[in-house]
Amino acid sequence: MASRVCLVHYHEVGLKGKNRAHFEHILIDTIKAACAAFSVATCARISGHILVTFSEPGDAERAFPVICRVPGVARVSLAFHTNREPGEYCRAAIRALGEVASFESFKVAAKRSNTDYPLGSLELNAQVGEALCEAFPDKRVQMHKPDAVVHVLVVQGSVYVYARSERGVGGLPVGSAGKVVTLLSSGIDSPVATWLLARRGAVCVPVHFSGRPQTADTSEYLCQDIIRAYAPAIQIGRLYVVPFGDAQRQIALACPTSLRVIMYRRVMYAVAERIARLEDAKAIVTGESLGQVASQTLENIAAVNEMVSLPVLRPLIGSDKQEIIERAHEIGTYDISCETAPDCCTLFMPRAPETHARLEAVHEAWDAFDHDAMIEELVASVEYIDFPSSSYRPGKPVRERHEVLAPRG
C-alpha cells in the first residue's frame, strides 16, 4: 500500500562541499520546525533529498505548501512511497499521473540509486511507461517537453513515485548565515528585505521604531502580524519595539526642517546597532531602495551610514517599487502593509526634505540636540515581544539585561 511523503530537493545546500552535512542538518531542523503542526514521523536525508514522512493520512498534502516556503528548499515533490514491487510502483505511477490537472503528453523519468535492484533506469522507464500507456490510452508519450513527467526513484529498498512537484523559495536554511538586526516598519519594503535575508540563511531580529506615545501603537501590531505571516516557514524569535515619538518631537524642535529625516535615521541606526551588539548580530538590514524617497539618495545614505560601524545590508537597493510589491504579494505581507497605521515614518515629516545633504550641515544639525543622551534613553526604553522559533537564541548580553529590556506588559 503506497503512502504519501514529501521529497525535498535542495540546490545550494548540495554545493557546500565538506560543510554540506552541516547545512543539511540545519535544513532538516528548519523543516521539522515548520511542520510542527503536522504529524511528522521522520525527516532525514536520503540519496541527495530530504524525505519527510507523516503518521496521519492527509498531512503530506497539507504540509506540502508549507515546506515549499522554507528557505533552503529548491523544490518539493508530493510522492508515493512503495516497496520495490513492480505492481505497487506502477499503480502509484498511475495515481501520480492521474493527479495532473490537464495534460496531453507525458514521459517517465526513472533513476536507480541502488545497483542491487535488477532493473536499470531504461528498463524502469519502459516498464512504468507501458503501465501508464494502458491506463491513459488517449495520451501520448513525448520525450521532449512533455506536459507531465512521472518520476520513479529507486533508493534504499524503496521506490518513490511522483508527478506533482513545485518550486521552493531556494536560498539557504535559516540559521546557517548568522544573525542580523533588521529595521522593520509596517510598510511594504522592510518586510520584504527581512524575508530576503532570512532566505539567505540569516536569523533576523527585527527592530520596530514606533511613533508611540505621539501616535497610536497600531503599527506595532501590524509588525506582529507580518512576523506571523512569515511563519511557520520562517520563524522570527523576537521583535524589539522602540517608542520613538518623543525623540522625534525633540529633533523636530531642535533641527532644521529639511534635515529631520536624516536625524531620525541617524538615531535609529545608532539604537539598532546597540541592539545588534547586545544580540551579537553581525549586520543591520534596511528596506531602502536607491532614490525611492528623499532619505534614500546616495548623499543621505552616506550621512546616515557614518553612524554605525557594523555593515548595513540593503537587499532592495536596486529594486523598483513594482518588483518589491510583487515580492510582498508572494510572501503574504502586502495586504498587512497596506493597512493604515500612523507610525514614526509619518510623524513630524517635513514637506520638503533634503535630498542631497552636505555632511557639514548634517553634523551641525546633529550637534543641535543631545543625541548621546537621546540614544541612551531610547536604548533604556526598548521593549521586546517573543515568538515561537527554533532558530533564534538571544545574545548573552541581552539575557544579562532583563531589567532594561523586558517584554511589554
Side-chain angles (χ1 to χ4, degrees):
M1 181 67 179
S3 60
R4 299 311 296 265
V5 300
C6 289
L7 272 180
V8 178
H9 313 246
Y10 45 81
H11 175 61
E12 284 192 67
V13 170
L15 303 177
K16 291 300 179 181
K18 294 181 180 179
N19 293 323
R20 175 173 170 173
H22 171 69
F23 282 83
E24 288 174 337
H25 177 75
I26 296 174
L27 180 55
I28 288 170
D29 287 344
T30 57
I31 292 172
K32 287 180 180 177
C35 293
F38 308 105
S39 58
V40 175
T42 60
C43 184
R45 181 183 178 277
I46 175 173
S47 186
H49 303 77
I50 291 174
L51 173 66
V52 188
T53 67
F54 303 85
S55 57
E56 294 294 329
D59 271 5
E61 291 86 345
R62 288 186 284 269
F64 179 74
V66 173
I67 299 174
C68 286
R69 297 179 59 195
V70 174
V73 173
R75 180 169 291 277
V76 185
S77 301
L78 186 58
F80 291 95
H81 173 211
T82 77
N83 294 318
R84 296 196 307 190
E85 200 281 316
E88 284 194 32
Y89 59 72
C90 284
R91 286 191 295 271
I94 293 170
R95 291 176 63 186
L97 187 57
E99 291 180 343
V100 178
S102 177
F103 71 98
E104 294 300 324
S105 60
F106 70 91
K107 77 171 185 178
V108 179
K111 181 180 179 181
R112 184 188 65 169
S113 297
N114 291 76
T115 57
D116 62 341
Y117 193 65
L119 298 182
S121 298
L122 293 178
E123 294 168 302
L124 283 167
N125 284 340
Q127 184 185 68
V128 176
E130 181 180 0
L132 292 175
C133 287
E134 292 178 0
F136 300 92
D138 57 331
K139 309 300 181 182
R140 69 181 186 276
V141 176
Q142 182 173 308
M143 300 309 296
H144 299 288
K145 297 183 180 180
D147 298 329
V149 179
V150 177
H151 295 265
V152 181
L153 176 64
V154 181
V155 57
Q156 296 181 5
S158 299
V159 180
Y160 302 92
V161 183
Y162 62 90
R164 184 180 173 185
S165 187
E166 293 185 12
R167 185 175 180 178
V169 299
L172 296 171
V174 174
S176 63
K179 186 188 289 185
V180 298
V181 159
T182 74
L183 300 186
L184 181 68
S185 75
S186 59
I188 295 173
D189 299 347
S190 59
V192 174
T194 297
W195 182 89
L196 287 171
L197 261 293
R199 180 175 172 263
R200 296 308 307 163
V203 175
C204 294
V205 183
V207 178
H208 176 63
F209 287 85
S210 169
R212 181 161 49 91
Q214 299 293 326
T215 69
D217 57 0
T218 311
S219 65
E220 301 172 31
Y221 291 99
L222 291 181
C223 285
Q224 295 180 49
D225 289 343
I226 288 167
I227 289 172
R228 294 186 184 100
Y230 295 142
I234 294 175
Q235 299 176 351
I236 302 294
R238 175 169 292 178
L239 167 68
Y240 285 96
V241 178
V242 184
F244 195 47
D246 285 345
Q248 286 184 270
R249 185 173 183 275
Q250 294 177 40
I251 293 171
L253 293 173
C255 298
T257 302
S258 62
L259 294 176
R260 284 180 190 173
V261 176
I262 294 175
M263 297 302 109
Y264 298 158
R265 296 192 69 79
R266 284 169 68 95
V267 173
M268 287 179 183
Y269 275 46
V271 173
E273 184 173 49
R274 291 283 293 274
I275 294 173
R277 299 291 185 191
L278 291 173
E279 281 283 357
D280 195 28
K282 305 305 181 185
I284 297 170
V285 181
T286 79
E288 292 166 307
S289 173
L290 187 62
Q292 184 169 259
V293 296
S295 64
Q296 296 173 15
T297 63
L298 288 177
E299 292 86 350
N300 290 359
I301 287 174
V304 175
N305 255 20
E306 69 173 5
M307 286 305 302
V308 296
S309 57
L310 285 177
V312 179
L313 308 181
R314 297 176 172 88
L316 303 179
I317 197 68
S319 302
D320 64 30
K321 196 66 178 183
Q322 192 56 43
E323 291 170 333
I324 299 169
I325 288 173
E326 289 174 2
R327 178 70 78 174
H329 277 294
E330 290 176 13
I331 66 177
T333 59
Y334 179 77
D335 290 339
I336 300 170
S337 297
C338 286
E339 295 187 34
T340 302
D343 61 8
C344 70
C345 295
T346 57
L347 186 62
F348 302 119
M349 296 300 288
R351 291 185 178 179
E354 178 62 65
T355 56
H356 301 286
R358 295 179 298 107
L359 285 179
E360 298 82 0
V362 170
H363 294 159
E364 184 177 346
W366 185 244
D367 292 334
F369 65 99
D370 191 349
H371 48 265
D372 289 334
M374 178 180 290
I375 292 166
E376 290 295 332
E377 184 177 347
L378 287 170
V379 171
S381 68
V382 170
E383 305 160 356
Y384 66 79
I385 304 163
D386 283 337
F387 300 84
S389 172
S390 64
S391 57
Y392 170 76
R393 299 291 183 275
K396 186 172 183 291
V398 174
R399 292 197 295 269
E400 295 172 350
R401 286 172 57 91
H402 272 212
E403 74 282 0
V404 175
L405 304 180
R408 287 185 61 184

